[in-house]
Amino acid sequence: MDFLSELGIQDSNSAAFCGTWMPGEGAPFDSFSPVNGKRIATVRAASRSELETITSKAHEAFLRWREVPAPRRGEYVRRMGEVLRAKKEPLGRLVSYEVGKILEEGRGEIQECIDIADFAVGLSRQLYGLTIASERPQHSMRETWHPLGAVGVITAFNFPAAVWAWNAMLALVCGDAVVWKPSEKAPLTAIAMTKICAEVLAEDGFAPLVGLACGSNEDVAIPMTEDARYPLISATGSTRMGRAVGQVVAARLGRCLLELGGNNAIVCLEDADLDMALRAVLFGAVGTAGQRCTTTRRLLVQKGARVELERRLLAAYDQVAIGDPLESSTLMGPLIDHDAVEQMQRALQAARDQGGEILCGGDVIELSGDLAGGHYVKPAIVRIRHDAEIVQHETFAPILYVIEIADLDEAMRLHNSVPQGLSSAIFTADVRAAERFLSAIGSDCGIANVNLGTSGAEIGGAFGGEKDTGGGRESGSDSWKAYMRRQTSTINWGSTLPLAQGIHFGD
Ligand code: NAD
């Protein structure tokens, strides 16, 4: 495991960083690889009192950082991007080994971190506000964006590097500090990322800007959400987590940026290019072993295309090479842990009980040799009615529900009937159907694509979803505004004091 030593991962590692590495006084825990169930390394968690230090150091660093001109802040982020480029291979391998996604996707995840760093560097020269015409003579009005403070970033296991980078790179150029509470299922990636990025900031004493506090929800995550020194909590994970976090942060009138679960569908009409649809469904449903927030979970296929698309999908699923994610021939690695395997089994049983027919897959696979102890399954396709209760839920596993629809009207009704609203796609050659899908009466999701799948977003666009997905937007476009506070200023350059709305007061 050369990549571990290359990244400075030891047998026992502190996961508490406040500019320097702290002892890690919380209960220690192990990080296991889903590839073979083996312990990779031990992690010494942050304790509640260490979190206190991490928070106050991040806040102190913020008070200095906010005075550094934004393009200079961008210069630090540019250097972070360069170091990430240099370490892309070992980091990609660590992601792959710690969470089980195939190496190609592990590398892709680090590329996403590099891309968002590049984006943030450009952004550091474009944090623009507005000027607005004033109704009063000899007055001018403007909006300015200012740094916010320390941002608490809580992340899920399935994107153990990129989600932090999406938040951190933008927050840093916006003048904020970031304190990261990663998933306890992927702490080593967080430690490696923090080491790399903190080194760039350390030269000028800014390392506390990238605090790390990996520990239990009780000691770390919940106290962070309760703490008013975090004006913004950006939380990525299940809808259940988002509801809990949203309520705690709202109770202190803080801000939340929530990126929660999806239940994403591809609509495939009869006139679609089925070769393209097939490849998109395969990548969307099987990629990352169905453990992406944007995974394709529902295929709403029009009657005339259903039999053929099902036939091609079954043939393609049969060819999916399942096994060691670090091997280049593998298309699907393991699920994250034993619980995930059980949840998949329970969902399949529920689908059967609710009238679903399992067309393929779903079996648990016991691999031998180096992969013994890994959490492998066969991806499943289930033909089912859309009103089956299980179809409403996000099961974080490779289960694709195939639902036959009569026409676009029915597709849209069913499509929008689930609680989640993250990503969606339509395959059609009919421009009218495509435009309708994208219109106000079309998809109700934060992401709506035409002739490409639900997963694999670029960082240039705003990323996030509606309804139970939480409403947050991260990454590109104007998502940076979430990491800043807006100030409206009116300047009177005359020598009288006219009031707005023409009010006369005592004159
Ligand atoms: P999870 O909800 O179990 O945990 C996510 C994070 O939240 C962890 O760090 C966890 O410790 C923390 N957490 C849990 N309860 C908390 C609480 N009460 N207060 C504060 N923090 C708490 O999710 P997971 O299993 O790690 O990840 C899978 C889920 O994440 C899926 O639902 C997936 O769709 C979602 N996800 C969404 C996006 C997105 O951008 N929309 C991206 C990745 C993953």
Side-chain angles (χ1 to χ4, degrees):
M1 302 283 165
D2 289 348
F3 56 88
L4 293 177
S5 49
E6 207 176 320
L7 296 169
I9 299 295
Q10 294 161 356
D11 190 55
S12 173
N13 308 270
S14 164
F17 181 77
C18 67
T20 51
W21 290 92
M22 305 166 84
E25 292 162 348
F29 64 96
D30 293 331
S31 174
F32 294 96
S33 172
V35 174
N36 48 25
K38 288 200 180 115
R39 186 187 79 93
I40 312 173
T42 298
V43 174
R44 303 192 305 277
S47 66
R48 199 179 265 239
S49 73
E50 285 175 321
L51 173 68
E52 177 54 38
T53 308
I54 295 164
T55 304
S56 53
K57 294 267 186 201
H59 190 73
E60 282 165 22
F62 156 72
L63 296 179
R64 289 193 298 123
W65 184 242
R66 67 181 175 175
E67 293 198 62
V68 175
R72 288 264 301 119
R73 299 193 294 249
E75 187 57 23
Y76 288 88
V77 170
R78 183 180 64 71
R79 276 156 53 208
M80 284 182 198
E82 281 168 6
V83 191
L84 290 171
R85 267 187 183 87
K87 301 269 184 191
K88 179 174 168 182
E89 187 60 23
L91 280 169
R93 283 184 181 272
L94 174 59
V95 167
S96 181
Y97 192 56
E98 194 172 32
V99 302
K101 61 178 72 177
I102 58 170
L103 184 54
E104 192 63 15
E105 292 184 84
R107 290 185 184 122
E109 174 151 2
I110 304 306
Q111 186 59 46
E112 216 170 321
C113 303
I114 297 165
D115 291 346
I116 195 73
D118 287 352
F119 179 92
V121 177
L123 179 67
S124 71
R125 292 181 182 269
Q126 298 178 65
L127 299 172
Y128 52 81
L130 295 173
T131 57
I132 302 142
S134 169
E135 68 183 48
R136 287 171 277 186
Q138 299 182 331
H139 281 56
S140 57
M141 215 185 337
R142 68 170 184 240
E143 269 183 12
T144 314
W145 293 88
H146 292 306
L148 197 57
V151 178
V153 177
I154 298 172
T155 57
F157 78 84
N158 65 326
F159 276 93
V163 170
W164 174 78
W166 285 3
N167 283 281
M169 301 304 177
L170 295 198
L172 286 171
V173 297
C174 288
D176 300 330
V178 176
V179 174
W180 186 4
K181 196 317 252 175
S183 165
E184 283 167 278
K185 294 175 187 173
L188 301 177
T189 303
I191 291 169
M193 289 289 289
T194 301
K195 281 193 168 146
I196 287 171
C197 292
E199 224 161 85
V200 173
L201 293 162
E203 292 162 21
D204 300 305
F206 282 123
L209 288 171
V210 287
L212 175 69
C214 184
S216 67
N217 289 340
E218 290 64 36
D219 280 348
V220 177
I222 295 171
M224 273 173 81
T225 59
E226 289 168 340
D227 192 332
R229 286 172 295 175
Y230 293 103
L232 172 67
I233 295 286
S234 172
T236 301
S238 57
T239 296
R240 188 165 47 99
M241 176 280 288
R243 271 190 222 291
V245 168
Q247 286 178 27
V248 174
V249 178
R252 62 169 172 90
L253 303 182
R255 271 198 231 165
C256 255
L257 197 170
L258 297 176
E259 296 283 357
L260 312 176
N263 190 353
N264 319 295
I266 288 181
V267 173
C268 181
L269 298 184
E270 282 165 1
D271 63 4
D273 179 328
L274 287 193
D275 289 335
M276 281 168 60
L278 170 73
R279 288 176 51 207
V281 175
L282 187 66
F283 177 66
V286 173
T288 330
Q291 299 172 113
R292 282 192 188 214
C293 51
T294 51
T295 289
T296 307
R297 309 209 176 274
R298 298 176 292 146
L299 172 60
L300 303 171
V301 53
Q302 198 172 7
K303 201 169 177 191
R306 204 253 307 153
V307 172
E308 178 58 13
L309 189 54
E310 255 179 26
R311 187 187 67 74
R312 293 197 202 183
L313 274 170
L314 287 171
Y317 268 55
D318 201 39
Q319 299 297 310
V320 171
I322 302 163
D324 185 351
L326 289 149
E327 280 291 328
S328 59
S329 55
T330 303
L331 270 193
M332 192 179 112
L335 292 183
I336 186 71
D337 55 19
H338 182 65
D339 273 2
V341 175
E342 289 199 328
Q343 274 173 34
M344 179 175 178
Q345 299 309 304
R346 279 199 295 276
L348 288 171
Q349 188 54 48
R352 271 188 216 101
D353 294 346
Q354 292 164 25
E357 183 188 345
I358 299 189
L359 302 181
C360 75
D363 329 46
V364 178
I365 314 173
E366 305 282 350
L367 296 176
S368 55
D370 289 348
L371 304 180
H375 309 294
Y376 298 91
V377 292
K378 280 198 177 160
I381 302 180
V382 180
R383 195 189 296 143
I384 196 162
R385 285 171 54 91
H386 198 277
D387 57 9
E389 214 264 333
I390 191 69
V391 175
Q392 299 284 308
H393 300 281
E394 178 198 50
T395 302
F396 220 50
I399 303 176
L400 177 69
Y401 298 118
V402 178
I403 295 121
E404 185 177 294
I405 44 122
D407 52 25
L408 184 56
D409 282 341
E410 186 184 14
M412 289 324 313
R413 189 172 52 76
L414 298 181
H415 180 276
N416 292 347
S417 69
V418 297
Q420 308 84 350
L422 180 51
S423 187
S424 59
I426 190 167
F427 278 80
T428 180
D430 178 355
V431 72
R432 284 175 296 190
E435 288 288 351
R436 182 174 159 201
F437 186 76
L438 303 181
S439 76
I441 57 163
S443 164
D444 63 1
C445 290
I447 297 166
N449 296 332
V450 175
N451 291 331
L452 65 141
T454 57
S455 65
E458 297 177 26
I459 58 100
F463 180 92
E466 305 298 335
K467 305 195 290 186
D468 277 7
T469 303
R473 290 296 185 280
E474 280 175 0
S475 201
S477 183
D478 66 350
S479 305
W480 58 271
K481 291 179 176 169
Y483 304 88
M484 302 198 87
R485 64 183 171 86
R486 184 197 312 233
Q487 190 169 68
T488 304
S489 309
T490 310
I491 301 110
N492 178 356
W493 52 275
S495 45
T496 58
L497 198 64
L499 299 178
Q501 291 86 45
I503 291 173
H504 290 277
F505 191 76
D507 58 11

